[in-house]
Amino acid sequence: MNSPIAAARPRAIDRVNQSLKRRYAAERRFRFLGASAVVIGLLFVTILFVDIIGKGYTAFWQTSIQLSIYFDPEVIDPSGERDPQELRRADYQKLARDALRAEFPEVQRRQELRELYGLLSTGVAQQLAERVQANPERIGTTEAVWLLADDDVDMLIKGKIDRDLPESDRRVKDRPLAWIEALEAKGAIEKHFNTPFFSNGTSREPELAGIAGALMGSFYTLLLTLLFSFPIAVATAVYLEEFAPKNRWTDLIEVNINNLAAVPSIVFGLLGLAVFINFFGVPRSTPLVGALVLTLMTLPTIIIASRAALKSVPPSIREAALGVGASPLQTQFHHVLPLAMPGMLTGTIIGMAQALGETAPLLMIGMIAFIVDIPGGATDAATVLPVQIFLWADSPERGFVERTSAAIMVLLAFLIAMNLTAVMLRRKFERRW
Amino acid sequence: MSTTAEAVGQAKAAITSADLAKAREVSATVGEFRSPTPRMVCRNVNVWYADKQAIKDVNLDIGKNEVVSMIGPSGCGKSTFLRCLNRMNDTIAGCRVSGTLELDGVDIYDKRLDVVPLRAQVGMVFQKPNPFPKSIYENVAYGPRIHGLTNDKAELDALVEESLRKAGLWEEVKDRLDQPGTGLSGGQQQRLCIARTIAVSPEVILMDEPCSALDPIATAKIEELIDELRANYSIAIVTHSMQQAARVSQRTAYFHLGDLIEVGQTDQIFTNPRHRLTEDYITGRFG
Ligand SMILES: Nc1ncnc2c1ncn2[C@@H]1O[C@H](COP(=O)(O)OP(=O)(O)OP(=O)(O)O)[C@@H](O)[C@H]1O
Ligand SMILES: [Mg+2]
């Protein structure tokens, strides 16, 4: 071979080899940068998690005091008829107080007694009432019962109040401390798994406050947001991407949608207040109005993601479908949408995760109200997890600090679960072409 | 020895721009573009992509029971013209078509015409294989199903098998009909697309280089199929293989830069081209 190309070849490969070194160096640099970015990201996530879990894991255990309770018929059921109404109205607090006095007979003075009663949570009345309701046979018997301790006792047992501080600086004074230590010595103080945290609504008392209310509120709100936003967003994306003529109007709409994605969420809250509550009369503080506002907020995100997903479907698939005589709608529903679905779902879950973590617009529509009852539907007044976190973080009691972190952990768990679902759905729907 | 191979051996007589300018002036097509028994009639067809004209004043008929092959250098507008025949160009933004195109005397660019039945009537096999990302069975069954061509599952199964057999793919895929069509080789995918097209029994079939990804055996099968289909259908086929054009078609149309230069009986075009450009092309001096 003596063509000019063959003659030039050895020199070309020399050049290639020369440039190779530089190219590989660039590649190594890029990989290093990428890896460092990932490491830094992971580092911050780890710090966040360690901090939150470190502060919050104690909230999953709650201190209880064991007392032998005499279910006094005189107090619970003076008439002796086991009338449920009467059983419910009885002064169960007195049973616990009597038990405490029996435990510490030396305490007599009123002031001291008040301190003694303060060892127990006000929630013990409810605890005892439930026991009697579960089994009225208990009336007249004596039983060792674990009763919820006050949040100060809880903090002391969890070591969040330093016993060595001088009394004047300590929230738990000397006398209660002595009683607590006496109970500890007897083995009558223990930490139990904190079921009330998951079954109660919020409360002014940290030891009684739970996230069930906020959780249900978030659940209803998100469910409705999904039901409203997904169909609207997909319909909008499909129409704009596949059917609408490309002209100045659709350009304008596109610009507006992109703008909406960047509007501060508080503005959507104000809009919701003005339109949904004041104009349409949707009840305030409810998951329904919350979902309407969050729908407005998440729509642009889902629309933009859905349009990108539609754009990434190869045009040859549309041609193939149209070529065998499928109508444009059939082309969309049979071929394009299934292929775009993973991308649309990813966008939807990102939008939902955003909605799950949103606080500001919900404050404007009254979802910040102090609501103890667990909402039973979309039109009951409710609050949501992030707002609950905000409210607890704002409370002065020491016991709310760990609960705030615990609520954040629950919120994060939900976010992780949602994102995992997104990944799984994507895997399931993903197809090669 | 093929014509192309012979042509490579000859000294190249470059086409000058003066030749092209001359061709432009005598834009009227050489040869008889009419068919005695036309199925599709195209008159003064012009196509623009935005401001760029891709097809210029083309007149061509596609007759009953006839295979018309379209040849010409790359980018001369063969695919564009073919796509006008089932209005596939509608899907391209900025593409404009003018002129008259009729199928059995019906103007297919009439505003009131529904393109869905048109495309069921005029099927198309695309240049690049584009099976649906669904199972092999679904690929073929999709068309008949949406058009309601079969009454029950057994009939549909039979139709799928028949279509795959005609496309010469049945033996290779009969054991894996439920596997994705996209998992087939390029040539198999193209045959799958052919099976998909003939499953809806179109009356006119447009084929855009259907054999460009096929080996000689598969190509022979497709050519056989084309010959068979001709008994009932009209076929327009774009091809870069002049041997193929010579083997399967009755008439051949030569396109050049958007102009239809010459149309004629296939043997006449290949043995005795009347236009200089056609001659240059088929003897391998151009393209
Ligand atoms: N979607 C499009 N937008 C703009 N211009 C296009 C488009 N499709 C084709 N063209 C142009 O129109 C002309 C004809 O293209 P066409 O695809 O019809 O050529 P062809 O003869 O089929 O070529 P090939 O043999 O390579 O397939 C080319 O110049 C091409 O660049
Ligand atoms: Mg082409």
Side-chain angles (χ1 to χ4, degrees):
Chain A
M1 289 243 270
N2 52 3
S3 77
I5 294 178
R9 193 154 287 159
R11 246 187 278 151
I13 191 68
D14 284 345
R15 290 225 166 166
V16 170
N17 283 334
Q18 275 171 14
S19 72
L20 223 49
K21 218 167 124 192
R22 243 183 318 116
R23 281 190 270 170
Y24 284 150
E27 193 170 317
R28 268 195 303 277
R29 264 199 309 280
F30 183 77
R31 275 205 221 155
F32 174 76
L33 282 178
S36 348
V38 170
V39 167
I40 291 174
L42 280 181
L43 191 73
F44 278 108
V45 170
T46 317
I47 292 174
L48 176 81
F49 272 68
V50 167
D51 180 56
I52 289 170
I53 293 175
K55 273 191 199 142
Y57 79 97
T58 46
F60 295 115
W61 278 268
Q62 187 68 27
T63 308
S64 293
I65 300 175
Q66 194 182 39
L67 291 174
S68 75
I69 300 284
Y70 172 51
F71 291 96
D72 189 352
E74 287 299 307
V75 177
I76 304 172
D77 192 17
S79 66
E81 283 165 5
R82 298 285 189 271
D83 174 21
Q85 282 264 293
E86 201 178 343
L87 291 188
R88 209 171 309 135
R89 253 177 298 147
D91 182 9
Y92 291 97
Q93 201 89 43
K94 186 168 172 357
L95 299 182
R97 288 181 177 173
D98 290 346
L100 270 176
R101 276 166 71 173
E103 194 74 39
F104 299 102
E106 70 281 6
V107 182
Q108 291 299 338
R109 290 196 12 240
R110 257 190 116 118
Q111 170 65 27
E112 287 179 14
L113 275 174
R114 197 170 313 133
E115 281 180 7
L116 181 64
Y117 298 156
L119 291 183
L120 287 177
S121 161
T122 49
V124 297
Q126 179 70 21
Q127 266 186 306
L128 289 172
E130 276 167 13
R131 279 188 161 257
V132 170
Q133 261 154 32
N135 183 8
E137 295 302 309
R138 284 205 169 90
I139 298 172
T141 64
T142 304
E143 195 183 352
V145 183
W146 286 102
L147 293 172
L148 214 50
D150 186 61
D151 59 315
D152 285 337
V153 178
D154 185 46
M155 288 295 107
L156 186 86
I157 296 297
K158 285 174 178 165
K160 304 217 164 156
I161 294 176
D162 188 354
R163 298 184 194 204
D164 299 331
L165 282 177
E167 185 180 13
S168 56
D169 293 349
R170 195 173 349 105
R171 235 184 108 71
V172 180
K173 303 296 175 203
D174 281 346
R175 250 196 315 264
L177 185 61
W179 296 326
I180 292 168
E181 279 170 355
L183 286 168
E184 265 184 316
K186 268 181 64 186
I189 287 194
E190 260 179 28
K191 280 186 284 182
H192 292 152
F193 185 72
N194 192 358
T195 31
F197 182 67
F198 295 99
S199 58
N200 283 4
T202 187
S203 165
R204 300 269 183 233
E205 304 294 332
E207 75 273 10
L208 294 177
I211 51 163
L215 215 52
M216 285 317 283
S218 273
F219 172 76
Y220 287 124
T221 309
L222 274 196
L223 188 72
L224 287 181
T225 308
L226 181 67
L227 288 182
F228 295 151
S229 61
F230 186 69
I232 299 178
V234 169
T236 310
V238 169
Y239 179 75
L240 285 179
E241 203 53 50
E242 310 280 338
F243 293 101
K246 304 275 175 285
N247 58 25
R248 213 171 295 163
W249 288 110
T250 41
D251 283 348
L252 192 72
I253 291 174
E254 170 149 15
V255 168
N256 269 311
I257 289 175
N258 292 347
N259 272 342
L260 279 183
V263 166
S265 54
I266 189 93
V267 176
F268 288 107
L270 288 166
L271 183 76
L273 180 65
V275 175
F276 297 130
I277 297 181
N278 292 344
F279 188 74
F280 286 109
V282 181
R284 56 184 291 132
S285 302
T286 57
L288 178 63
V289 68
L292 288 171
V293 168
L294 292 177
T295 299
L296 290 182
M297 211 196 76
T298 49
L299 267 180
T301 312
I302 308 182
I303 292 175
I304 291 170
S306 299
R307 291 187 68 176
L310 287 171
K311 273 205 188 88
S312 72
V313 174
S316 65
I317 298 292
R318 296 184 181 86
E319 286 190 337
L322 293 173
V324 292
S327 70
L329 201 67
Q330 284 173 326
T331 305
Q332 288 305 314
F333 279 92
H334 298 166
H335 301 286
V336 179
L337 275 183
L339 290 176
M341 209 31 97
M344 291 182 163
L345 287 177
T346 310
T348 307
I349 301 256
I350 291 173
M352 287 297 117
Q354 236 178 24
L356 176 62
E358 197 53 69
T359 339
L362 301 182
L363 304 185
M364 300 313 302
I365 51 166
M367 289 192 89
I368 194 169
F370 179 80
I371 293 145
V372 179
D373 293 331
I374 296 168
T379 48
D380 289 351
T383 187
V384 291
L385 271 176
V387 173
Q388 189 68 75
I389 290 169
F390 168 70
L391 286 171
W392 282 351
D394 215 27
S395 303
E397 286 89 348
R398 190 80 175 70
F400 277 122
V401 175
E402 58 173 25
R403 277 181 158 64
T404 305
S405 293
I408 294 174
M409 279 154 75
V410 172
L411 184 67
L412 284 178
F414 270 83
L415 283 174
I416 291 172
M418 280 171 77
N419 285 323
L420 281 181
T421 320
V423 171
M424 262 155 50
L425 284 176
R426 208 163 44 214
R427 287 260 168 82
K428 190 163 174 290
F429 281 98
E430 216 150 53
R431 270 175 249 198
R432 291 170 300 143
W433 60 74
Chain B
M1 265 281 190
S2 72
T3 39
T4 331
E6 279 166 14
V8 173
Q10 298 173 358
K12 284 195 178 167
I15 283 209
T16 62
S17 47
D19 287 335
L20 293 178
K22 214 182 298 160
R24 186 71 14 84
E25 276 161 28
V26 286
S27 86
T29 306
V30 175
E32 181 56 81
F33 57 78
R34 276 175 284 263
S35 156
T37 52
R39 200 70 218 269
M40 295 201 82
V41 175
C42 314
R43 293 291 176 269
N44 305 317
V45 176
N46 287 284
V47 182
W48 289 266
Y49 290 113
D51 295 332
K52 185 170 169 292
Q53 190 165 8
I55 290 288
K56 297 160 194 159
D57 262 331
V58 168
N59 298 297
L60 186 64
D61 287 359
I62 296 164
K64 291 199 171 82
N65 309 332
E66 177 183 61
V67 179
V68 177
S69 61
M70 302 177 185
I71 57 171
S74 183
C76 66
K78 306 179 296 290
S79 299
T80 304
F81 181 69
L82 204 64
R83 293 164 60 94
C84 293
L85 300 178
N86 68 345
R87 290 188 54 178
M88 217 57 210
N89 282 333
D90 291 11
T91 60
I92 297 174
C95 181
R96 265 184 312 127
V97 178
S98 75
T100 358
L101 288 108
E102 290 176 355
L103 171 66
D104 296 329
V106 177
D107 180 5
I108 62 171
Y109 276 80
D110 191 314
K111 284 262 178 324
R112 287 157 300 180
L113 183 111
D114 186 358
V115 294
V116 170
L118 171 70
R119 289 184 188 140
Q121 245 175 317
V122 184
M124 183 159 198
V125 177
F126 294 85
Q127 189 163 356
K128 273 183 257 158
N130 55 355
F132 299 130
K134 296 178 189 282
S135 73
I136 293 170
Y137 181 92
E138 272 308 309
N139 261 283
V140 184
Y142 181 71
R145 189 175 286 149
I146 56 170
H147 296 304
L149 298 186
T150 52
N151 298 318
D152 53 38
K153 177 89 170 71
E155 228 176 287
L156 186 59
D157 288 351
L159 180 57
V160 168
E161 175 174 347
E162 187 198 328
S163 307
L164 284 169
R165 268 192 203 286
K166 279 189 184 161
L169 191 61
W170 175 253
E171 289 304 322
E172 287 157 71
V173 300
K174 64 179 175 200
D175 300 323
R176 46 170 177 154
L177 289 175
D178 53 347
Q179 283 175 24
T182 40
L184 296 171
S185 80
Q188 288 173 328
Q189 288 187 13
Q190 189 61 297
R191 279 179 283 156
L192 181 61
C193 293
I194 293 172
R196 180 177 69 190
T197 305
I198 58 182
V200 273
S201 318
E203 290 155 31
V204 180
I205 302 180
L206 313 173
M207 294 181 158
D208 198 345
E209 296 182 41
C211 302
S212 59
L214 300 189
D215 65 284
I217 298 169
T219 305
K221 273 190 194 153
I222 299 299
E223 288 177 3
E224 229 170 80
L225 168 71
I226 293 173
D227 218 41
E228 223 173 87
L229 291 172
R230 185 165 70 91
N232 302 309
Y233 308 125
S234 305
I235 296 168
I237 176 171
V238 170
T239 175
H240 277 295
S241 155
M242 279 174 271
Q243 297 93 311
Q244 182 170 59
R247 280 193 299 264
V248 300
S249 67
Q250 283 70 56
R251 286 198 306 149
T252 297
Y254 173 67
F255 285 79
H256 185 94
L257 295 177
D259 288 305
L260 177 54
I261 301 295
E262 183 167 353
V263 197
Q265 297 302 315
T266 297
D267 42 4
Q268 175 256 310
I269 293 275
F270 283 109
T271 54
N272 185 20
R274 285 162 43 194
H275 197 286
R276 167 80 194 288
L277 288 168
T278 320
E279 185 181 351
D280 287 350
Y281 182 73
I282 62 170
T283 54
R285 259 175 269 161
F286 185 88

